[in-house]
Amino acid sequence: QVQLVESGGGSVQAGGSLRLSCELSPGYPHQYMAWFRQAPGKEREGIAHVYSGGGHTHYSPSVKGRFTISQVYGKDMIFLWMNSLKPEDTAMYYCAATPTYAGVENWAVPGKYNFWGQGTQVTVSS
């Protein structure tokens, strides 16, 4: 059974940094992987996407320039480096994966992903 295991969430003050990790269970290689987040009362938002060992990335405007997604070469393991955190970044963060490239226009669509992690909470205080 496919599993995505996330870690690294927590509480931080505005302006601080956190790193999230996500690892896909062995046997399911070559996935396109992404990070989403969902705040209470809001829709799930795609924020970063990576494939080809980190050679290709996409970011949402809300995090571009502050967050960096990276991938361990040859493994289905990704990180999300979050800098200059703001209170509006507070949300549950989810790792997602799919064996099929969703395309530059659809990488942030939750329905394009087959596998999801359990989520890790990030709380940014002002």
Side-chain angles (χ1 to χ4, degrees):
Q1 184 175 354
V2 176
Q3 285 189 321
L4 289 167
V5 180
E6 300 141 337
S7 60
S11 297
V12 65
Q13 289 190 328
S17 300
L18 284 173
R19 187 194 77 168
L20 306 183
S21 303
C22 173
E23 186 166 10
L24 184 67
S25 52
Y28 299 91
H30 311 305
Q31 300 281 330
Y32 297 86
M33 300 181 74
W35 287 99
F36 286 75
R37 67 184 181 185
Q38 189 167 19
K42 294 189 176 181
E43 293 186 351
R44 190 165 294 192
E45 174 192 14
I47 57 173
H49 175 243
V50 66
Y51 60 101
S52 296
H56 297 275
T57 58
H58 299 108
Y59 295 95
S60 68
S62 61
V63 305
K64 192 171 185 178
R66 300 188 298 122
F67 291 10
T68 302
I69 189 169
S70 63
Q71 185 172 26
V72 176
Y73 182 76
K75 295 184 66 175
D76 286 310
M77 184 171 186
I78 63 173
F79 300 96
L80 186 68
W81 305 82
M82 303 185 294
N83 297 315
S84 302
L85 283 161
K86 306 174 182 180
E88 50 264 44
D89 294 318
T90 295
M92 186 71 79
Y93 284 68
Y94 297 91
C95 176
T98 175
T100 306
Y101 179 48
V104 66
E105 295 182 350
N106 294 312
W107 67 265
V109 176
K112 297 295 184 181
Y113 292 82
N114 304 84
F115 312 119
W116 291 86
Q118 79 284 358
T120 185
Q121 179 68 37
V122 171
T123 302
V124 184
S125 57
S126 58

mmCIF file of all heavy atoms in Angstrom, residues 30-34 48-58 69-78 98-104 107 113:
data_model
loop_
_atom_site.group_PDB
_atom_site.id
_atom_site.type_symbol
_atom_site.label_atom_id
_atom_site.label_comp_id
_atom_site.label_asym_id
_atom_site.label_seq_id
_atom_site.Cartn_x
_atom_site.Cartn_y
_atom_site.Cartn_z
ATOM 1 N N HIS A 30 9.245 7.159 -9.482
ATOM 2 C CA HIS A 30 8.928 8.052 -10.584
ATOM 3 C C HIS A 30 7.597 8.769 -10.402
ATOM 4 O O HIS A 30 6.778 8.859 -11.322
ATOM 5 C CB HIS A 30 8.921 7.293 -11.917
ATOM 6 C CG HIS A 30 10.144 6.445 -12.101
ATOM 7 N ND1 HIS A 30 11.407 6.953 -12.014
ATOM 8 C CD2 HIS A 30 10.286 5.121 -12.325
ATOM 9 C CE1 HIS A 30 12.294 5.984 -12.201
ATOM 10 N NE2 HIS A 30 11.642 4.866 -12.388
ATOM 11 N N GLN A 31 7.381 9.269 -9.219
ATOM 12 C CA GLN A 31 6.174 10.027 -8.959
ATOM 13 C C GLN A 31 6.445 11.528 -9.124
ATOM 14 O O GLN A 31 7.543 12.002 -8.857
ATOM 15 C CB GLN A 31 5.701 9.769 -7.522
ATOM 16 C CG GLN A 31 5.384 8.315 -7.203
ATOM 17 C CD GLN A 31 4.041 7.893 -7.724
ATOM 18 O OE1 GLN A 31 3.127 8.690 -7.836
ATOM 19 N NE2 GLN A 31 3.907 6.612 -8.052
ATOM 20 N N TYR A 32 5.425 12.210 -9.577
ATOM 21 C CA TYR A 32 5.442 13.669 -9.539
ATOM 22 C C TYR A 32 4.897 14.051 -8.164
ATOM 23 O O TYR A 32 3.826 13.597 -7.777
ATOM 24 C CB TYR A 32 4.564 14.240 -10.647
ATOM 25 C CG TYR A 32 5.071 13.886 -12.026
ATOM 26 C CD1 TYR A 32 4.715 12.681 -12.639
ATOM 27 C CD2 TYR A 32 5.911 14.750 -12.726
ATOM 28 C CE1 TYR A 32 5.197 12.355 -13.896
ATOM 29 C CE2 TYR A 32 6.386 14.429 -13.984
ATOM 30 C CZ TYR A 32 6.026 13.228 -14.565
ATOM 31 O OH TYR A 32 6.500 12.903 -15.808
ATOM 32 N N MET A 33 5.623 14.890 -7.444
ATOM 33 C CA MET A 33 5.269 15.147 -6.056
ATOM 34 C C MET A 33 5.038 16.632 -5.807
ATOM 35 O O MET A 33 5.609 17.486 -6.504
ATOM 36 C CB MET A 33 6.357 14.604 -5.132
ATOM 37 C CG MET A 33 6.552 13.090 -5.312
ATOM 38 S SD MET A 33 7.790 12.384 -4.224
ATOM 39 C CE MET A 33 6.900 12.393 -2.661
ATOM 40 N N ALA A 34 4.210 16.907 -4.831
ATOM 41 C CA ALA A 34 3.837 18.290 -4.573
ATOM 42 C C ALA A 34 3.485 18.488 -3.107
ATOM 43 O O ALA A 34 3.216 17.534 -2.377
ATOM 44 C CB ALA A 34 2.649 18.692 -5.437
ATOM 45 N N ALA A 48 3.605 24.004 -4.173
ATOM 46 C CA ALA A 48 4.890 23.701 -4.807
ATOM 47 C C ALA A 48 4.858 22.310 -5.416
ATOM 48 O O ALA A 48 4.218 21.409 -4.872
ATOM 49 C CB ALA A 48 6.026 23.824 -3.801
ATOM 50 N N HIS A 49 5.571 22.148 -6.516
ATOM 51 C CA HIS A 49 5.547 20.904 -7.289
ATOM 52 C C HIS A 49 6.957 20.619 -7.791
ATOM 53 O O HIS A 49 7.679 21.568 -8.165
ATOM 54 C CB HIS A 49 4.580 21.082 -8.453
ATOM 55 C CG HIS A 49 4.522 19.936 -9.400
ATOM 56 N ND1 HIS A 49 4.883 20.057 -10.730
ATOM 57 C CD2 HIS A 49 4.094 18.652 -9.234
ATOM 58 C CE1 HIS A 49 4.689 18.897 -11.337
ATOM 59 N NE2 HIS A 49 4.217 18.036 -10.453
ATOM 60 N N VAL A 50 7.354 19.364 -7.819
ATOM 61 C CA VAL A 50 8.708 19.024 -8.255
ATOM 62 C C VAL A 50 8.705 17.684 -8.979
ATOM 63 O O VAL A 50 7.908 16.792 -8.668
ATOM 64 C CB VAL A 50 9.683 18.973 -7.054
ATOM 65 C CG1 VAL A 50 9.320 17.837 -6.106
ATOM 66 C CG2 VAL A 50 11.134 18.841 -7.514
ATOM 67 N N TYR A 51 9.592 17.548 -9.971
ATOM 68 C CA TYR A 51 9.808 16.262 -10.611
ATOM 69 C C TYR A 51 11.179 16.254 -11.273
ATOM 70 O O TYR A 51 11.886 17.270 -11.254
ATOM 71 C CB TYR A 51 8.706 15.935 -11.607
ATOM 72 C CG TYR A 51 8.538 16.912 -12.751
ATOM 73 C CD1 TYR A 51 9.042 16.641 -14.020
ATOM 74 C CD2 TYR A 51 7.847 18.110 -12.578
ATOM 75 C CE1 TYR A 51 8.877 17.518 -15.066
ATOM 76 C CE2 TYR A 51 7.683 18.988 -13.620
ATOM 77 C CZ TYR A 51 8.180 18.691 -14.861
ATOM 78 O OH TYR A 51 8.022 19.571 -15.903
ATOM 79 N N SER A 52 11.533 15.110 -11.802
ATOM 80 C CA SER A 52 12.826 14.925 -12.464
ATOM 81 C C SER A 52 13.992 15.245 -11.553
ATOM 82 O O SER A 52 14.931 15.952 -11.931
ATOM 83 C CB SER A 52 12.908 15.776 -13.742
ATOM 84 O OG SER A 52 11.944 15.348 -14.669
ATOM 85 N N GLY A 53 13.925 14.707 -10.324
ATOM 86 C CA GLY A 53 15.031 14.879 -9.400
ATOM 87 C C GLY A 53 15.250 16.304 -8.958
ATOM 88 O O GLY A 53 16.352 16.680 -8.556
ATOM 89 N N GLY A 54 14.198 17.108 -9.056
ATOM 90 C CA GLY A 54 14.324 18.500 -8.651
ATOM 91 C C GLY A 54 14.652 19.434 -9.784
ATOM 92 O O GLY A 54 14.759 20.651 -9.585
ATOM 93 N N GLY A 55 14.778 18.891 -10.976
ATOM 94 C CA GLY A 55 15.126 19.735 -12.104
ATOM 95 C C GLY A 55 14.000 20.636 -12.572
ATOM 96 O O GLY A 55 14.242 21.624 -13.280
ATOM 97 N N HIS A 56 12.791 20.288 -12.222
ATOM 98 C CA HIS A 56 11.630 21.075 -12.630
ATOM 99 C C HIS A 56 10.777 21.377 -11.397
ATOM 100 O O HIS A 56 10.435 20.470 -10.643
ATOM 101 C CB HIS A 56 10.792 20.328 -13.650
ATOM 102 C CG HIS A 56 11.535 20.053 -14.930
ATOM 103 N ND1 HIS A 56 11.620 20.971 -15.954
ATOM 104 C CD2 HIS A 56 12.232 18.973 -15.335
ATOM 105 C CE1 HIS A 56 12.337 20.457 -16.938
ATOM 106 N NE2 HIS A 56 12.723 19.251 -16.593
ATOM 107 N N THR A 57 10.441 22.629 -11.203
ATOM 108 C CA THR A 57 9.631 23.035 -10.062
ATOM 109 C C THR A 57 8.598 24.074 -10.485
ATOM 110 O O THR A 57 8.782 24.792 -11.472
ATOM 111 C CB THR A 57 10.487 23.642 -8.942
ATOM 112 O OG1 THR A 57 11.216 24.765 -9.468
ATOM 113 C CG2 THR A 57 11.475 22.634 -8.383
ATOM 114 N N HIS A 58 7.516 24.116 -9.732
ATOM 115 C CA HIS A 58 6.497 25.149 -9.891
ATOM 116 C C HIS A 58 6.115 25.633 -8.499
ATOM 117 O O HIS A 58 6.146 24.860 -7.533
ATOM 118 C CB HIS A 58 5.236 24.602 -10.577
ATOM 119 C CG HIS A 58 5.470 24.071 -11.946
ATOM 120 N ND1 HIS A 58 5.440 22.727 -12.251
ATOM 121 C CD2 HIS A 58 5.736 24.704 -13.117
ATOM 122 C CE1 HIS A 58 5.672 22.559 -13.536
ATOM 123 N NE2 HIS A 58 5.853 23.741 -14.091
ATOM 124 N N ILE A 69 11.115 24.009 -2.883
ATOM 125 C CA ILE A 69 10.878 22.572 -2.892
ATOM 126 C C ILE A 69 12.097 21.895 -3.488
ATOM 127 O O ILE A 69 12.699 22.385 -4.446
ATOM 128 C CB ILE A 69 9.593 22.208 -3.673
ATOM 129 C CG1 ILE A 69 9.232 20.740 -3.479
ATOM 130 C CG2 ILE A 69 9.718 22.568 -5.158
ATOM 131 C CD1 ILE A 69 7.847 20.382 -4.011
ATOM 132 N N SER A 70 12.502 20.785 -2.891
ATOM 133 C CA SER A 70 13.646 20.046 -3.412
ATOM 134 C C SER A 70 13.346 18.558 -3.337
ATOM 135 O O SER A 70 12.455 18.120 -2.602
ATOM 136 C CB SER A 70 14.919 20.377 -2.631
ATOM 137 O OG SER A 70 14.795 19.978 -1.276
ATOM 138 N N GLN A 71 14.104 17.803 -4.129
ATOM 139 C CA GLN A 71 13.884 16.360 -4.210
ATOM 140 C C GLN A 71 15.222 15.661 -4.084
ATOM 141 O O GLN A 71 16.209 16.082 -4.700
ATOM 142 C CB GLN A 71 13.214 16.016 -5.538
ATOM 143 C CG GLN A 71 12.820 14.570 -5.696
ATOM 144 C CD GLN A 71 11.990 14.343 -6.951
ATOM 145 O OE1 GLN A 71 12.086 15.074 -7.927
ATOM 146 N NE2 GLN A 71 11.144 13.324 -6.917
ATOM 147 N N VAL A 72 15.269 14.605 -3.305
ATOM 148 C CA VAL A 72 16.483 13.806 -3.205
ATOM 149 C C VAL A 72 16.636 13.036 -4.502
ATOM 150 O O VAL A 72 15.741 12.278 -4.882
ATOM 151 C CB VAL A 72 16.420 12.847 -2.003
ATOM 152 C CG1 VAL A 72 17.664 11.962 -1.982
ATOM 153 C CG2 VAL A 72 16.299 13.638 -0.712
ATOM 154 N N TYR A 73 17.743 13.223 -5.167
ATOM 155 C CA TYR A 73 17.954 12.621 -6.475
ATOM 156 C C TYR A 73 17.835 11.107 -6.401
ATOM 157 O O TYR A 73 18.436 10.461 -5.552
ATOM 158 C CB TYR A 73 19.331 13.002 -7.020
ATOM 159 C CG TYR A 73 19.591 12.449 -8.395
ATOM 160 C CD1 TYR A 73 19.002 13.039 -9.514
ATOM 161 C CD2 TYR A 73 20.387 11.326 -8.582
ATOM 162 C CE1 TYR A 73 19.218 12.538 -10.774
ATOM 163 C CE2 TYR A 73 20.603 10.820 -9.842
ATOM 164 C CZ TYR A 73 20.020 11.422 -10.933
ATOM 165 O OH TYR A 73 20.220 10.907 -12.186
ATOM 166 N N GLY A 74 17.001 10.532 -7.285
ATOM 167 C CA GLY A 74 16.852 9.087 -7.367
ATOM 168 C C GLY A 74 15.900 8.495 -6.342
ATOM 169 O O GLY A 74 15.701 7.286 -6.319
ATOM 170 N N LYS A 75 15.309 9.335 -5.489
ATOM 171 C CA LYS A 75 14.384 8.845 -4.482
ATOM 172 C C LYS A 75 13.105 9.670 -4.520
ATOM 173 O O LYS A 75 13.100 10.824 -4.910
ATOM 174 C CB LYS A 75 14.991 8.949 -3.079
ATOM 175 C CG LYS A 75 16.193 8.093 -2.826
ATOM 176 C CD LYS A 75 16.635 8.199 -1.379
ATOM 177 C CE LYS A 75 15.625 7.628 -0.418
ATOM 178 N NZ LYS A 75 16.128 7.641 0.975
ATOM 179 N N ASP A 76 12.015 9.056 -4.114
ATOM 180 C CA ASP A 76 10.758 9.792 -4.003
ATOM 181 C C ASP A 76 10.682 10.406 -2.616
ATOM 182 O O ASP A 76 9.871 10.008 -1.779
ATOM 183 C CB ASP A 76 9.578 8.873 -4.313
ATOM 184 C CG ASP A 76 9.483 8.587 -5.793
ATOM 185 O OD1 ASP A 76 9.513 9.543 -6.588
ATOM 186 O OD2 ASP A 76 9.404 7.405 -6.154
ATOM 187 N N MET A 77 11.550 11.349 -2.379
ATOM 188 C CA MET A 77 11.585 12.062 -1.119
ATOM 189 C C MET A 77 11.738 13.534 -1.427
ATOM 190 O O MET A 77 12.596 13.915 -2.224
ATOM 191 C CB MET A 77 12.756 11.593 -0.243
ATOM 192 C CG MET A 77 12.795 12.237 1.118
ATOM 193 S SD MET A 77 14.032 11.444 2.168
ATOM 194 C CE MET A 77 13.726 12.265 3.734
ATOM 195 N N ILE A 78 10.888 14.342 -0.826
ATOM 196 C CA ILE A 78 10.947 15.774 -1.096
ATOM 197 C C ILE A 78 10.974 16.560 0.204
ATOM 198 O O ILE A 78 10.603 16.059 1.267
ATOM 199 C CB ILE A 78 9.763 16.250 -1.968
ATOM 200 C CG1 ILE A 78 8.430 16.036 -1.244
ATOM 201 C CG2 ILE A 78 9.785 15.557 -3.319
ATOM 202 C CD1 ILE A 78 7.252 16.646 -1.986
ATOM 203 N N THR A 98 1.706 11.611 -7.680
ATOM 204 C CA THR A 98 0.980 11.010 -8.787
ATOM 205 C C THR A 98 1.974 10.463 -9.785
ATOM 206 O O THR A 98 3.049 11.043 -9.970
ATOM 207 C CB THR A 98 0.061 12.047 -9.475
ATOM 208 O OG1 THR A 98 -0.525 11.429 -10.627
ATOM 209 C CG2 THR A 98 0.843 13.265 -9.935
ATOM 210 N N PRO A 99 1.649 9.349 -10.452
ATOM 211 C CA PRO A 99 2.561 8.808 -11.460
ATOM 212 C C PRO A 99 2.460 9.519 -12.798
ATOM 213 O O PRO A 99 3.269 9.276 -13.697
ATOM 214 C CB PRO A 99 2.115 7.351 -11.587
ATOM 215 C CG PRO A 99 0.662 7.384 -11.238
ATOM 216 C CD PRO A 99 0.530 8.443 -10.189
ATOM 217 N N THR A 100 1.504 10.429 -12.923
ATOM 218 C CA THR A 100 1.238 11.085 -14.208
ATOM 219 C C THR A 100 1.446 12.593 -14.070
ATOM 220 O O THR A 100 0.906 13.211 -13.163
ATOM 221 C CB THR A 100 -0.198 10.818 -14.672
ATOM 222 O OG1 THR A 100 -0.429 9.405 -14.697
ATOM 223 C CG2 THR A 100 -0.426 11.392 -16.063
ATOM 224 N N TYR A 101 2.190 13.161 -14.987
ATOM 225 C CA TYR A 101 2.419 14.602 -14.960
ATOM 226 C C TYR A 101 1.117 15.329 -15.248
ATOM 227 O O TYR A 101 0.459 15.092 -16.251
ATOM 228 C CB TYR A 101 3.476 14.977 -15.989
ATOM 229 C CG TYR A 101 3.776 16.457 -16.077
ATOM 230 C CD1 TYR A 101 4.010 17.215 -14.926
ATOM 231 C CD2 TYR A 101 3.832 17.097 -17.312
ATOM 232 C CE1 TYR A 101 4.305 18.568 -15.015
ATOM 233 C CE2 TYR A 101 4.130 18.448 -17.407
ATOM 234 C CZ TYR A 101 4.358 19.180 -16.252
ATOM 235 O OH TYR A 101 4.648 20.517 -16.339
ATOM 236 N N ALA A 102 0.744 16.235 -14.364
ATOM 237 C CA ALA A 102 -0.522 16.949 -14.499
ATOM 238 C C ALA A 102 -0.437 18.116 -15.472
ATOM 239 O O ALA A 102 -1.473 18.629 -15.902
ATOM 240 C CB ALA A 102 -0.974 17.448 -13.140
ATOM 241 N N GLY A 103 0.777 18.557 -15.773
ATOM 242 C CA GLY A 103 0.925 19.674 -16.679
ATOM 243 C C GLY A 103 1.104 20.979 -15.941
ATOM 244 O O GLY A 103 0.734 21.123 -14.774
ATOM 245 N N VAL A 104 1.656 21.935 -16.649
ATOM 246 C CA VAL A 104 1.990 23.205 -16.025
ATOM 247 C C VAL A 104 0.733 23.947 -15.563
ATOM 248 O O VAL A 104 0.787 24.743 -14.622
ATOM 249 C CB VAL A 104 2.815 24.070 -17.004
ATOM 250 C CG1 VAL A 104 1.987 24.461 -18.207
ATOM 251 C CG2 VAL A 104 3.387 25.283 -16.312
ATOM 252 N N TRP A 107 -0.879 21.416 -12.180
ATOM 253 C CA TRP A 107 -0.094 20.773 -11.133
ATOM 254 C C TRP A 107 -0.663 21.074 -9.751
ATOM 255 O O TRP A 107 -0.426 20.308 -8.818
ATOM 256 C CB TRP A 107 1.372 21.224 -11.191
ATOM 257 C CG TRP A 107 1.590 22.663 -10.862
ATOM 258 C CD1 TRP A 107 1.686 23.705 -11.737
ATOM 259 C CD2 TRP A 107 1.746 23.243 -9.552
ATOM 260 N NE1 TRP A 107 1.890 24.880 -11.071
ATOM 261 C CE2 TRP A 107 1.929 24.638 -9.738
ATOM 262 C CE3 TRP A 107 1.757 22.721 -8.266
ATOM 263 C CZ2 TRP A 107 2.117 25.502 -8.660
ATOM 264 C CZ3 TRP A 107 1.943 23.585 -7.192
ATOM 265 C CH2 TRP A 107 2.114 24.960 -7.396
ATOM 266 N N TYR A 113 -3.871 14.184 -8.083
ATOM 267 C CA TYR A 113 -2.938 13.386 -7.280
ATOM 268 C C TYR A 113 -3.628 12.160 -6.707
ATOM 269 O O TYR A 113 -4.739 12.229 -6.189
ATOM 270 C CB TYR A 113 -2.337 14.259 -6.175
ATOM 271 C CG TYR A 113 -1.445 15.318 -6.761
ATOM 272 C CD1 TYR A 113 -1.981 16.502 -7.265
ATOM 273 C CD2 TYR A 113 -0.077 15.126 -6.879
ATOM 274 C CE1 TYR A 113 -1.177 17.461 -7.862
ATOM 275 C CE2 TYR A 113 0.739 16.087 -7.455
ATOM 276 C CZ TYR A 113 0.172 17.243 -7.954
ATOM 277 O OH TYR A 113 0.984 18.185 -8.551
#
